[in-house]
Amino acid sequence: LFDTQKPFTFHSIPQFIEQAVRYVSDDLGLEDPQSFFVQVTTGIQSELRPRPVYLSTAQQVGLIRAPHIPFLLDYLVPESVQSINNNQAPFTAENMSPKTESACAKRFFARWLLCPPPYTIADRMQNLLRQLNLLQVALPSSLQRSGYVFPLLNVERIVTAIYRRSASVGILRDVYSVVNAVEFVLRSDEYESITADLITIGSYLCGEHVELEDILARARQLRKDLESTICVELATAELDLPSGFSPSASPSFDQYRELNKFFEDNEHSFRGKLNLDKVPEMAQVVQNVDCCANELQNCIQSDFALHSQQSGELEYRSLDSAVVLKLSAKDKKSVALSDDCFQWRDRKGKQHLCLFSSRKVTHATDNYLSSVRNANETAKRVLEVLNSRLCQHHIHLLRVVAVLSELIHATCAHVESARQRGWALPELDRIKVSEEDKQVREKSEDHQARQVEMSLDGVFPFWLSRHSCISNDVWMKGMAILTAANMAGKSTIMRSIAVAAMLANAGLFVPCNGGSRVGRYDCIYVKSASSDAPSEGLSAFAFEMDELAIVFRDCGARSLVLLDEVGRGTSSRDGSALSGAILEALYERKINGVFATHLHEIFSLPLHVSMPTDIDQWTIPVHLETDNSTMFSTFKIEKGFCTDSLAMHTAKFRGIPHEIVERASELANTFDQISAHCGNLHKTTAAVSSASAELNGIALESGLQIISKELQDLLKCTRAILVHDGYDIPPSMHAMSCLYILNITRADGEELFYVGETDSIARRLDAHRKSISKKVSRNAPGSDSSSSARVRIKSVCLFSAQNKSQARLFESMSIKYLRERGYPLLSQADASHNQFGQARISK
């Protein structure tokens, strides 16, 4: 297309397609391009089929091979597709192997998924797979008695070969076999349950409407045309020796094997290929070849005296197309040669001392080779006539049967693989049909504004065995934000959801349970790790923004978008702000999907959306051992969120040197101090003094009540529970995650506050009572032991949390809020959870 002699300019997509078809047609020598090129997207409304899969999405889900990502197509079909037909060759004349059959099925599903079919065709595909899953009748490729086999045909290669009048007998035999097998399936009552779906899907793949009766009628006529010219037996007939040649009566029969090789090599192109009973022209030239072969045999027997001598042997010189007598120096005296025998010269004129021939044998060989050339030319003319007849009358049928053959192979392989892996067919949303114009469309005018629901029961990663992994139940409508620690399995969950939706919308089996339900998505977009694009002059962040621009250009309420780690290519401040704005935009556009992030600052931003009211919150719990020696993920999605990525633990477990991890932890402790200093620079001294004076003028209980009301508005959770000195913790707060604020008083009347989170408030309060005196004493230099003893916890405020991750978030938000307002805190550093998991604040 980019040949300088062929200018390629266009201003619209139709012009591009028109020129591309014309150039390719000229290159192939096609006179009628419309018979070979099918534009499957023409005239199809966007709401009736999904968009083609984006390149980045195809790489992330494994449709295109990418480093470190399992190749999806390897799991859609078995590693090899075997036939049990022992009497007939189950593969093509090109000796196709089971691995090749598997590769053909993978190519079919690659095309099927990269350019997803319309929803109605996906329904047909799902029904076809369901019927094949229930089918109790063997398909032709495994029938030993019927003689039907399904060779895989490359429709492009066959059509091109026939159009150029160069299709060989081997290709035509494959055509006959597949036509015979397809006709057998379509007309047999045993396969009635899959016939309608095969025809409908075949029509879509061919780009034209196909009628069952028309296929059967055309198939019968095509078989007659082929049977009238070629030998249609699947196995190549063994070459018979020339007429009258019976060396078995000779004691030196073994010596004639070289002569047999000579005949076979020269006659393989026509011997046993054409039907001599119905092609008189070919029968006559083959008879002439037999006569010349008999003459050559008689000359060899006469001149080389092999009928009575045991010495010497025949040798076939394939490069010279000659049969000569080979004698050693010892045998020359014992072998009686005719008078016209001579030392033989090869095609280059070199004389061989041990090789002999005669004038009669040489003349007979020339006559035989001439008759073979005549036979080859005749066979070529006969096949050209047959190719012309096929091209004129049967080219459309050949395309249809080749497509149906590939479809049957691929779907049967997919059913086999799905049964082995425990995949299931989900329920798809119904598409309504308008009877007015017979076109498939949704009747509701607001279909673009309605979000798509998806309920996956027991979805699991496609590359893992069903019994060796943890499955998840996913219900999705709208957006969900996913936060979890490193190595928790966020990307695996998102990739599993995307693959399940993609396979379901294409009508294929899905790695989940049968009770799942998947909506009709018009676009599926997956964005994961970004890298730079040096060839385009783009940094990693710029390339990521290019990808996100596609989301807001193409995606809407019927789209599925899964974004992982947006904004990590820039500063955490800008990345968090950008992520928050993107999350708001996704919600406003009613886009469905998952937004995974480690930028926990997004929860502190004043977003226009509330969580979890507007956007679902998902997390994947990760457990640490008590000694922090190991960490493991549950790989189960739960409601909630996580604000601790456990980055230091992950770095330690992945082999980062201990001193580096320790230094990183020290540096991380300085962030809160820097943030606190920078955040208070804009505050005046008068404002801080005013806050302190206001606090000191309020009773202890009243001060904690004010804090509880402020935090209740900040956290948007259930009401606070105040517990004063002398009262017990309510039973409902035991053994659950919660946020607590301690109101601590010293002997001099100064009050302090401590903010923390725990899963066991009773044990945590007991630990605080034992250590709080030491902590306060260190914060007040010069205080004596008696004053330290009089330090006590006066009150505690409790907020319940859904889980530990939410309690951590509440802790971080509360510390930052109270610190900015000048409250005296003992737990400044816990704003980033540096003291997570420690019961004693003295550490």
Side-chain angles (χ1 to χ4, degrees):
L1 297 181
F2 298 98
D3 190 348
T4 55
Q5 298 179 358
K6 294 183 177 181
F8 197 73
T9 58
F10 59 92
H11 303 284
S12 64
I13 296 300
Q15 290 182 1
F16 169 82
I17 295 175
E18 180 182 357
Q19 293 190 48
V21 169
R22 185 172 66 251
Y23 288 157
V24 174
S25 301
D26 293 343
D27 182 64
L28 296 177
L30 305 179
E31 299 176 358
D32 183 17
Q34 299 302 325
S35 300
F36 299 93
F37 293 94
V38 180
Q39 187 178 346
V40 297
T41 58
T42 300
I44 300 179
Q45 302 175 16
S46 60
E47 65 267 19
L48 298 183
R49 69 180 304 164
R51 287 180 176 271
V53 177
Y54 300 96
L55 174 61
S56 60
T57 301
Q59 292 174 335
Q60 289 301 318
V61 301
L63 268 179
I64 297 177
R65 292 191 183 275
H68 313 301
I69 296 179
F71 190 43
L72 175 60
L73 300 179
D74 286 341
Y75 301 89
L76 295 182
V77 298
E79 294 183 0
S80 62
V81 185
Q82 294 283 0
S83 172
I84 63 172
N85 191 342
N86 298 319
N87 298 330
Q88 304 289 351
F91 308 116
T92 63
E94 284 74 11
N95 193 24
M96 182 173 288
S97 65
K99 182 180 292 187
T100 308
E101 283 202 71
S102 178
C104 292
K106 291 178 184 179
R107 286 196 297 268
F108 172 85
F109 285 118
R111 298 192 304 268
W112 186 262
L113 291 172
L114 288 172
C115 188
Y119 301 132
T120 53
I121 300 300
D123 289 341
R124 288 287 192 171
M125 173 61 80
Q126 188 183 75
N127 189 60
L128 173 61
L129 294 174
R130 183 179 292 109
Q131 295 301 326
L132 286 174
N133 193 33
L134 301 174
L135 192 64
Q136 300 294 322
V137 182
L139 287 168
S141 58
S142 60
L143 290 180
Q144 297 188 23
R145 293 176 299 174
S146 65
Y148 298 101
V149 296
F150 261 127
L152 287 173
L153 301 183
N154 186 317
V155 60
E156 295 85 2
R157 179 176 64 89
I158 290 177
V159 170
T160 302
I162 292 178
Y163 203 87
R164 292 177 174 176
R165 277 66 170 176
S166 60
S168 64
V169 174
I171 293 178
L172 296 178
R173 278 178 175 164
D174 285 344
V175 169
Y176 180 87
S177 298
V178 74
V179 169
N180 203 25
V182 169
E183 180 188 4
F184 172 73
V185 171
L186 295 180
R187 62 178 166 80
S188 176
D189 295 337
E190 296 176 331
Y191 309 105
E192 185 178 3
S193 59
I194 65 174
T195 300
D197 295 323
L198 286 175
I199 294 297
T200 303
I201 300 175
S203 299
Y204 161 73
L205 294 174
C206 293
E208 60 180 350
H209 182 67
V210 176
E211 292 288 349
L212 175 60
E213 295 300 328
D214 182 60
I215 293 180
L216 295 178
R218 289 174 176 265
R220 286 191 293 269
Q221 184 59 45
L222 175 58
R223 286 194 296 107
K224 291 181 180 179
D225 290 344
L226 292 175
E227 291 171 353
S228 65
T229 305
I230 67 172
C231 295
V232 296
E233 290 80 5
L234 297 178
T236 303
E238 295 184 0
L239 289 177
D240 295 330
L241 294 175
S243 176
F245 183 36
S246 55
S248 58
S250 172
S252 56
F253 169 71
D254 292 342
Q255 298 185 10
Y256 285 97
R257 290 178 180 175
E258 293 293 308
L259 185 59
N260 293 341
K261 294 179 181 178
F262 172 73
F263 290 146
E264 291 174 2
D265 286 352
N266 284 280
E267 301 180 20
H268 76 277
S269 59
F270 62 87
R271 180 73 70 175
K273 302 292 181 66
L274 300 180
N275 191 338
L276 302 183
D277 295 335
K278 298 184 178 181
V279 186
E281 179 183 5
M282 192 65 200
Q284 183 177 356
V285 296
V286 170
Q287 185 178 4
N288 185 34
V289 171
D290 291 342
C291 293
C292 294
N294 284 325
E295 180 183 355
L296 176 59
Q297 173 213 349
N298 294 331
C299 291
I300 290 176
Q301 289 179 327
S302 173
D303 290 359
F304 295 163
L306 293 179
H307 60 286
S308 60
Q309 299 293 336
Q310 299 297 325
S311 301
E313 59 182 9
L314 292 179
E315 181 174 317
Y316 168 40
R317 308 285 292 190
S318 58
L319 295 179
D320 299 282
S321 296
V323 177
V324 296
L325 179 63
K326 182 178 181 180
L327 295 174
S328 62
K330 180 180 178 181
D331 294 334
K332 291 181 182 179
K333 300 179 181 179
S334 60
V335 176
L337 299 175
S338 59
D339 296 337
D340 60 348
C341 288
F342 54 87
Q343 288 183 333
W344 180 75
R345 294 177 180 271
D346 60 19
R347 65 189 186 285
K348 296 182 179 180
K350 180 181 178 180
Q351 187 176 15
H352 294 260
L353 300 178
C354 296
L355 300 181
F356 296 87
S357 184
S358 67
R359 295 181 182 85
K360 290 183 180 180
V361 171
T362 303
H363 180 70
T365 301
D366 293 340
N367 290 338
Y368 170 77
L369 294 177
S370 178
S371 65
V372 168
R373 286 192 294 269
N374 185 30
N376 285 330
E377 293 174 359
T378 303
K380 183 179 179 180
R381 288 195 302 270
V382 171
L383 290 178
E384 287 179 352
V385 173
L386 177 60
N387 276 269
S388 299
R389 188 159 65 249
L390 296 179
C391 184
Q392 184 177 0
H393 300 290
H394 302 295
I395 198 70
H396 294 285
L397 176 65
L398 293 179
R399 188 171 69 236
V400 171
V401 296
V403 165
L404 291 178
S405 175
E406 184 183 33
L407 174 61
I408 293 175
H409 270 289
T411 51
C412 289
H414 183 52
V415 170
E416 178 185 350
S417 178
R419 292 179 67 92
Q420 294 174 354
R421 303 182 186 281
W423 296 11
L425 289 174
E427 182 181 356
L428 295 173
D429 286 350
R430 292 190 134 197
I431 298 296
K432 299 179 181 179
V433 180
S434 172
E435 296 294 339
E436 298 177 358
D437 54 5
K438 301 298 182 181
Q439 292 182 355
V440 179
R441 60 180 176 85
E442 294 187 5
K443 289 185 176 181
S444 301
E445 295 180 356
D446 62 338
H447 65 275
Q448 291 286 359
R450 292 189 291 108
Q451 289 179 310
V452 179
E453 294 186 25
M454 178 167 60
S455 176
L456 298 175
D457 182 13
V459 64
F460 58 94
F462 65 85
W463 61 92
L464 297 178
S465 170
R466 182 185 187 86
H467 306 291
S468 64
C469 65
I470 298 175
S471 61
N472 276 278
D473 296 335
V474 176
W475 183 87
M476 181 183 299
K477 182 179 181 181
M479 288 299 301
I481 185 168
L482 175 60
T483 54
N486 291 293
M487 300 292 293
K490 300 187 299 297
S491 299
T492 297
I493 292 293
M494 296 175 67
R495 186 171 288 114
S496 300
I497 293 174
V499 169
M502 183 178 298
L503 295 178
N505 274 264
L508 305 181
F509 281 88
V510 174
C512 65
N513 295 330
S516 302
R517 183 182 181 89
V518 180
R520 308 282 184 161
Y521 293 105
D522 62 358
C523 176
I524 298 176
Y525 190 89
V526 180
K527 182 268 169 194
S528 186
S530 297
S531 59
D532 59 351
S535 62
E536 302 178 23
L538 297 177
S539 65
F541 181 72
F543 189 72
E544 180 182 41
M545 294 302 101
D546 279 356
E547 291 183 320
L548 290 174
I550 297 175
V551 174
F552 296 107
R553 182 194 68 191
D554 295 343
C555 299
R558 296 174 58 236
S559 303
L560 178 64
V561 176
L562 299 110
L563 304 178
D564 190 11
E565 298 301 332
V566 172
R568 68 178 179 180
T570 185
S571 66
S572 59
R573 175 179 176 274
D574 294 340
S576 299
L578 186 61
S579 297
I582 291 174
L583 194 59
E584 288 180 338
L586 294 173
Y587 172 76
E588 292 171 357
R589 294 169 181 252
K590 299 184 178 181
I591 295 177
N592 311 275
V594 179
F595 188 96
T597 183
H598 282 294
L599 298 174
H600 304 137
E601 295 84 356
I602 192 173
F603 293 106
S604 303
L605 297 175
L607 301 180
H608 296 158
V609 295
S610 62
M611 295 177 279
T613 305
D614 298 328
I615 297 178
D616 289 338
Q617 292 177 328
W618 294 356
T619 187
I620 304 173
V622 173
H623 298 295
L624 280 172
E625 296 294 341
T626 55
D627 57 354
N628 289 340
S629 61
T630 57
M631 58 181 289
F632 61 92
S633 172
T634 63
F635 299 109
K636 294 289 289 187
I637 297 178
E638 295 182 2
K639 294 290 185 179
F641 51 88
C642 171
T643 57
D644 195 338
S645 296
L646 299 178
M648 303 304 173
H649 294 83
T650 304
K652 175 183 177 182
F653 297 149
R654 303 313 298 177
I656 299 299
H658 177 72
E659 59 273 15
I660 296 179
V661 177
E662 289 296 323
R663 178 55 179 162
S665 300
E666 295 176 4
L667 294 175
N669 293 336
T670 64
F671 276 112
D672 291 311
Q673 301 174 9
I674 295 174
S675 300
H677 176 69
C678 295
N680 290 327
L681 286 178
H682 68 282
K683 297 182 178 180
T684 62
T685 305
V688 177
S689 300
S690 175
S692 300
E694 180 183 357
L695 180 61
N696 291 329
I698 302 176
L700 295 179
E701 291 80 7
S702 299
L704 195 59
Q705 287 177 354
I706 294 176
I707 290 177
S708 66
K709 292 179 180 179
E710 293 178 353
L711 292 183
Q712 187 170 332
D713 295 336
L714 173 67
L715 303 179
K716 298 179 181 180
C717 60
T718 58
R719 69 181 181 86
I721 298 177
L722 288 174
V723 182
H724 304 302
D725 189 19
Y727 289 82
D728 291 331
I729 301 296
S732 62
M733 298 300 296
H734 289 286
M736 73 173 298
S737 299
C738 68
L739 168 75
Y740 65 91
I741 300 97
L742 303 181
N743 196 166
I744 305 168
T745 59
R746 295 196 317 185
D748 57 2
E750 182 182 1
E751 62 180 36
L752 303 170
F753 295 92
Y754 181 90
V755 182
E757 57 85 22
T758 182
D759 286 334
S760 177
I761 185 62
R763 288 198 301 267
R764 183 59 61 89
L765 288 178
D766 183 63
H768 280 315
R769 290 189 184 99
K770 295 178 180 179
S771 62
I772 196 65
S773 296
K774 298 179 181 180
K775 180 69 176 181
V776 175
S777 297
R778 286 196 297 269
N779 288 343
S783 59
D784 55 16
S785 60
S786 60
S787 64
S788 299
R790 290 192 295 270
V791 174
R792 65 191 181 96
I793 299 175
K794 191 65 178 291
S795 303
V796 60
C797 180
L798 303 175
F799 291 92
S800 62
Q802 295 180 1
N803 50 45
K804 194 170 186 66
S805 295
Q806 189 179 47
R808 293 175 191 164
L809 177 64
F810 285 173
E811 178 189 24
S812 176
M813 295 173 63
S814 301
I815 291 175
K816 292 179 181 178
Y817 178 84
L818 297 176
R819 185 177 57 200
E820 291 175 356
R821 282 153 182 78
Y823 288 97
L825 299 179
L826 288 173
S827 51
Q828 297 274 353
D830 280 341
S832 60
H833 306 298
N834 292 322
Q835 297 182 13
F836 161 65
Q838 300 177 6
R840 299 178 61 87
I841 64 173
S842 60
K843 294 184 180 181

